[in-house]
């Protein structure tokens, strides 16, 4: 019984793999409804995780951006929205 448990536990640990946490800058992005789909396309294309969409007068969401990519992402979002996006740096957090 002990050997079976040890083998199962060993296999579970090997199968679990390693989770790597990465430091991100979190942005709160607010855009018009007409710019929302362009923003989502851009974020998905760049592999930027986003969540927490709130559909009100405008659309707001949170996005996790690598600190090294921050300036380029902010510039690109300003370009695709004609400078109308509101981008707030809401802090740094770890994610995976």
């Amino acid at each position: 019984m002990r050997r079976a448990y040890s083998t199962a536990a060993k296999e579970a640990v090997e199968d679990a793999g390693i989770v790597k946490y990465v430091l991100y800058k979190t942005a709160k992005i607010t855009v018009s409804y007409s710019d929302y789909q362009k923003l989502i396309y851009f974020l998905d294309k760049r592999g930027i995780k986003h969540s927490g969409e709130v559909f009100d007068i405008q659309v707001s969401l949170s996005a996790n951006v690598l600190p090294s990519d921050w300036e380029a992402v902010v510039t690109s979002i300003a370009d695709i929205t004609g400078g109308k996006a509101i981008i707030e740096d809401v802090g740094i957090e770890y994610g995976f």
Side-chain angles (χ1 to χ4, degrees), residues 4 6-7 15 17 33 41 44-47 57 69-70 76 78-79 85 95:
S6 296
T7 301
D15 290 344
Y33 279 86
Y41 176 78
D44 289 344
K45 185 176 176 184
R46 291 283 305 254
I57 294 172
D69 294 342
W70 179 261
S76 294
D79 289 346

Side-chain angles (χ1 to χ4, degrees), residues 21-41:
Y21 279 85
V22 178
L23 187 67
Y24 290 103
K25 286 183 85 167
T26 301
K28 179 183 177 191
I29 306 169
T30 304
V31 295
S32 67
Y33 279 86
S34 61
D35 289 330
Y36 174 69
Q37 288 301 323
K38 292 185 277 187
L39 175 64
I40 294 301
Y41 176 78

